[in-house]
mmCIF file of all heavy atoms in Angstrom:
data_model
loop_
_atom_site.group_PDB
_atom_site.id
_atom_site.type_symbol
_atom_site.label_atom_id
_atom_site.label_comp_id
_atom_site.label_asym_id
_atom_site.label_seq_id
_atom_site.Cartn_x
_atom_site.Cartn_y
_atom_site.Cartn_z
ATOM 1 N N ASN Y 1191 85.203 54.253 65.675
ATOM 2 C CA ASN Y 1191 85.933 53.020 65.379
ATOM 3 C C ASN Y 1191 86.280 52.158 66.577
ATOM 4 O O ASN Y 1191 86.543 50.965 66.408
ATOM 5 C CB ASN Y 1191 87.222 53.360 64.632
ATOM 6 C CG ASN Y 1191 86.967 53.947 63.258
ATOM 7 O OD1 ASN Y 1191 86.582 53.249 62.334
ATOM 8 N ND2 ASN Y 1191 87.174 55.257 63.119
ATOM 9 N N CYS Y 1192 86.345 52.721 67.766
ATOM 10 C CA CYS Y 1192 86.747 51.953 68.960
ATOM 11 C C CYS Y 1192 85.499 51.595 69.761
ATOM 12 O O CYS Y 1192 84.893 52.463 70.400
ATOM 13 C CB CYS Y 1192 87.745 52.757 69.795
ATOM 14 S SG CYS Y 1192 89.287 53.096 68.930
ATOM 15 N N GLN Y 1193 85.141 50.351 69.679
ATOM 16 C CA GLN Y 1193 83.878 49.894 70.284
ATOM 17 C C GLN Y 1193 84.070 49.507 71.743
ATOM 18 O O GLN Y 1193 84.978 48.737 72.074
ATOM 19 C CB GLN Y 1193 83.341 48.694 69.494
ATOM 20 C CG GLN Y 1193 83.142 48.977 68.014
ATOM 21 C CD GLN Y 1193 82.761 47.713 67.243
ATOM 22 O OE1 GLN Y 1193 81.681 47.158 67.477
ATOM 23 N NE2 GLN Y 1193 83.629 47.274 66.339
ATOM 24 N N GLU Y 1194 83.207 50.049 72.581
ATOM 25 C CA GLU Y 1194 83.270 49.695 73.997
ATOM 26 C C GLU Y 1194 82.754 48.272 74.219
ATOM 27 O O GLU Y 1194 81.761 47.859 73.589
ATOM 28 C CB GLU Y 1194 82.464 50.676 74.849
ATOM 29 C CG GLU Y 1194 83.156 51.979 75.104
ATOM 30 C CD GLU Y 1194 82.503 52.794 76.200
ATOM 31 O OE1 GLU Y 1194 81.999 52.178 77.170
ATOM 32 O OE2 GLU Y 1194 82.477 54.041 76.099
ATOM 33 N N GLY Y 1195 83.403 47.554 75.108
ATOM 34 C CA GLY Y 1195 82.944 46.233 75.496
ATOM 35 C C GLY Y 1195 82.208 46.314 76.813
ATOM 36 O O GLY Y 1195 81.931 47.406 77.331
ATOM 37 N N PRO Y 1196 81.882 45.177 77.391
ATOM 38 C CA PRO Y 1196 81.119 45.168 78.638
ATOM 39 C C PRO Y 1196 81.936 45.752 79.797
ATOM 40 O O PRO Y 1196 83.159 45.655 79.817
ATOM 41 C CB PRO Y 1196 80.809 43.694 78.850
ATOM 42 C CG PRO Y 1196 81.850 42.955 78.074
ATOM 43 C CD PRO Y 1196 82.169 43.805 76.905
ATOM 44 N N ASP Y 1197 81.220 46.328 80.748
ATOM 45 C CA ASP Y 1197 81.822 46.812 81.982
ATOM 46 C C ASP Y 1197 81.586 45.746 83.029
ATOM 47 O O ASP Y 1197 80.484 45.562 83.523
ATOM 48 C CB ASP Y 1197 81.175 48.131 82.396
ATOM 49 C CG ASP Y 1197 81.829 48.779 83.601
ATOM 50 O OD1 ASP Y 1197 82.526 48.056 84.338
ATOM 51 O OD2 ASP Y 1197 81.630 49.985 83.824
ATOM 52 N N ASN Y 1198 82.642 45.013 83.375
ATOM 53 C CA ASN Y 1198 82.539 43.885 84.307
ATOM 54 C C ASN Y 1198 82.756 44.272 85.758
ATOM 55 O O ASN Y 1198 82.836 43.402 86.629
ATOM 56 C CB ASN Y 1198 83.537 42.800 83.927
ATOM 57 C CG ASN Y 1198 83.228 42.157 82.595
ATOM 58 O OD1 ASN Y 1198 82.072 42.194 82.139
ATOM 59 N ND2 ASN Y 1198 84.217 41.577 81.945
ATOM 60 N N ASN Y 1199 82.873 45.569 86.047
ATOM 61 C CA ASN Y 1199 83.092 46.015 87.411
ATOM 62 C C ASN Y 1199 81.841 45.803 88.262
ATOM 63 O O ASN Y 1199 80.711 45.768 87.742
ATOM 64 C CB ASN Y 1199 83.471 47.498 87.418
ATOM 65 C CG ASN Y 1199 84.890 47.725 86.943
ATOM 66 O OD1 ASN Y 1199 85.830 47.316 87.581
ATOM 67 N ND2 ASN Y 1199 85.013 48.396 85.794
ATOM 68 N N ARG Y 1200 82.062 45.693 89.572
ATOM 69 C CA ARG Y 1200 80.922 45.701 90.509
ATOM 70 C C ARG Y 1200 80.139 46.999 90.316
ATOM 71 O O ARG Y 1200 80.691 48.026 89.925
ATOM 72 C CB ARG Y 1200 81.387 45.605 91.966
ATOM 73 C CG ARG Y 1200 82.188 44.401 92.324
ATOM 74 C CD ARG Y 1200 82.288 44.269 93.856
ATOM 75 N NE ARG Y 1200 82.528 45.542 94.538
ATOM 76 C CZ ARG Y 1200 83.708 45.940 95.006
ATOM 77 N NH1 ARG Y 1200 84.781 45.193 94.828
ATOM 78 N NH2 ARG Y 1200 83.813 47.111 95.630
ATOM 79 N N GLN Y 1201 78.885 46.962 90.634
ATOM 80 C CA GLN Y 1201 78.024 48.121 90.410
ATOM 81 C C GLN Y 1201 78.559 49.363 91.092
ATOM 82 O O GLN Y 1201 78.525 50.477 90.536
ATOM 83 C CB GLN Y 1201 76.598 47.822 90.880
ATOM 84 C CG GLN Y 1201 75.567 48.831 90.412
ATOM 85 C CD GLN Y 1201 75.454 48.891 88.888
ATOM 86 O OE1 GLN Y 1201 75.482 47.869 88.208
ATOM 87 N NE2 GLN Y 1201 75.346 50.122 88.346
ATOM 88 N N ASP Y 1202 79.109 49.179 92.303
ATOM 89 C CA ASP Y 1202 79.600 50.354 93.046
ATOM 90 C C ASP Y 1202 80.884 50.920 92.488
ATOM 91 O O ASP Y 1202 81.293 52.023 92.845
ATOM 92 C CB ASP Y 1202 79.761 50.021 94.535
ATOM 93 C CG ASP Y 1202 80.781 48.907 94.744
ATOM 94 O OD1 ASP Y 1202 80.659 47.852 94.102
ATOM 95 O OD2 ASP Y 1202 81.718 49.104 95.550
ATOM 96 N N LEU Y 1203 81.550 50.170 91.586
ATOM 97 C CA LEU Y 1203 82.801 50.642 90.999
ATOM 98 C C LEU Y 1203 82.616 51.124 89.542
ATOM 99 O O LEU Y 1203 83.567 51.638 88.963
ATOM 100 C CB LEU Y 1203 83.846 49.525 91.011
ATOM 101 C CG LEU Y 1203 84.358 49.094 92.395
ATOM 102 C CD1 LEU Y 1203 85.390 47.967 92.255
ATOM 103 C CD2 LEU Y 1203 84.984 50.276 93.138
ATOM 104 N N LYS Y 1204 81.422 50.967 89.003
ATOM 105 C CA LYS Y 1204 81.212 51.396 87.620
ATOM 106 C C LYS Y 1204 81.169 52.909 87.520
ATOM 107 O O LYS Y 1204 80.582 53.588 88.370
ATOM 108 C CB LYS Y 1204 79.910 50.795 87.087
ATOM 109 C CG LYS Y 1204 79.985 49.311 86.840
ATOM 110 C CD LYS Y 1204 78.692 48.773 86.213
ATOM 111 C CE LYS Y 1204 78.830 47.265 85.952
ATOM 112 N NZ LYS Y 1204 77.620 46.706 85.317
ATOM 113 N N LYS Y 1205 81.807 53.430 86.493
ATOM 114 C CA LYS Y 1205 81.766 54.857 86.266
ATOM 115 C C LYS Y 1205 80.519 55.226 85.457
ATOM 116 O O LYS Y 1205 79.964 54.413 84.718
ATOM 117 C CB LYS Y 1205 83.017 55.319 85.490
ATOM 118 C CG LYS Y 1205 84.297 55.276 86.321
ATOM 119 C CD LYS Y 1205 85.412 56.060 85.647
ATOM 120 C CE LYS Y 1205 86.622 56.218 86.556
ATOM 121 N NZ LYS Y 1205 87.632 57.135 85.995
ATOM 122 N N THR Y 1206 80.121 56.484 85.595
ATOM 123 C CA THR Y 1206 78.974 56.971 84.835
ATOM 124 C C THR Y 1206 79.375 57.199 83.380
ATOM 125 O O THR Y 1206 80.566 57.247 83.031
ATOM 126 C CB THR Y 1206 78.459 58.289 85.406
ATOM 127 O OG1 THR Y 1206 79.460 59.305 85.221
ATOM 128 C CG2 THR Y 1206 78.140 58.157 86.903
ATOM 129 N N ALA Y 1207 78.383 57.390 82.520
ATOM 130 C CA ALA Y 1207 78.659 57.651 81.110
ATOM 131 C C ALA Y 1207 79.506 58.906 80.954
ATOM 132 O O ALA Y 1207 80.430 58.956 80.126
ATOM 133 C CB ALA Y 1207 77.348 57.790 80.329
ATOM 134 N N GLY Y 1208 79.226 59.931 81.749
ATOM 135 C CA GLY Y 1208 80.008 61.159 81.668
ATOM 136 C C GLY Y 1208 81.444 60.962 82.097
ATOM 137 O O GLY Y 1208 82.374 61.526 81.515
ATOM 138 N N GLU Y 1209 81.638 60.156 83.136
ATOM 139 C CA GLU Y 1209 82.988 59.866 83.610
ATOM 140 C C GLU Y 1209 83.780 59.080 82.586
ATOM 141 O O GLU Y 1209 84.977 59.323 82.352
ATOM 142 C CB GLU Y 1209 82.949 59.128 84.939
ATOM 143 C CG GLU Y 1209 82.483 59.969 86.110
ATOM 144 C CD GLU Y 1209 82.235 59.159 87.369
ATOM 145 O OE1 GLU Y 1209 81.838 57.972 87.233
ATOM 146 O OE2 GLU Y 1209 82.440 59.690 88.474
ATOM 147 N N LYS Y 1210 83.113 58.142 81.906
ATOM 148 C CA LYS Y 1210 83.773 57.354 80.872
ATOM 149 C C LYS Y 1210 84.138 58.242 79.664
ATOM 150 O O LYS Y 1210 85.204 58.077 79.057
ATOM 151 C CB LYS Y 1210 82.888 56.194 80.422
ATOM 152 C CG LYS Y 1210 82.764 55.091 81.463
ATOM 153 C CD LYS Y 1210 81.885 53.953 80.969
ATOM 154 C CE LYS Y 1210 81.801 52.841 82.026
ATOM 155 N NZ LYS Y 1210 80.916 51.741 81.597
ATOM 156 N N GLU Y 1211 83.272 59.186 79.333
ATOM 157 C CA GLU Y 1211 83.586 60.091 78.247
ATOM 158 C C GLU Y 1211 84.841 60.909 78.577
ATOM 159 O O GLU Y 1211 85.690 61.135 77.701
ATOM 160 C CB GLU Y 1211 82.395 61.032 78.009
ATOM 161 C CG GLU Y 1211 82.573 61.925 76.790
ATOM 162 C CD GLU Y 1211 81.339 62.753 76.507
ATOM 163 O OE1 GLU Y 1211 80.303 62.570 77.174
ATOM 164 O OE2 GLU Y 1211 81.417 63.606 75.585
#
Side-chain angles (χ1 to χ4, degrees):
N1191 294 287
C1192 297
Q1193 303 174 64
E1194 282 194 35
D1197 186 341
N1198 294 337
N1199 286 294
R1200 301 193 319 258
Q1201 193 61 41
D1202 61 308
L1203 293 179
K1204 289 184 179 182
K1205 289 195 171 188
T1206 66
E1209 290 171 328
K1210 288 181 179 178
E1211 186 175 355

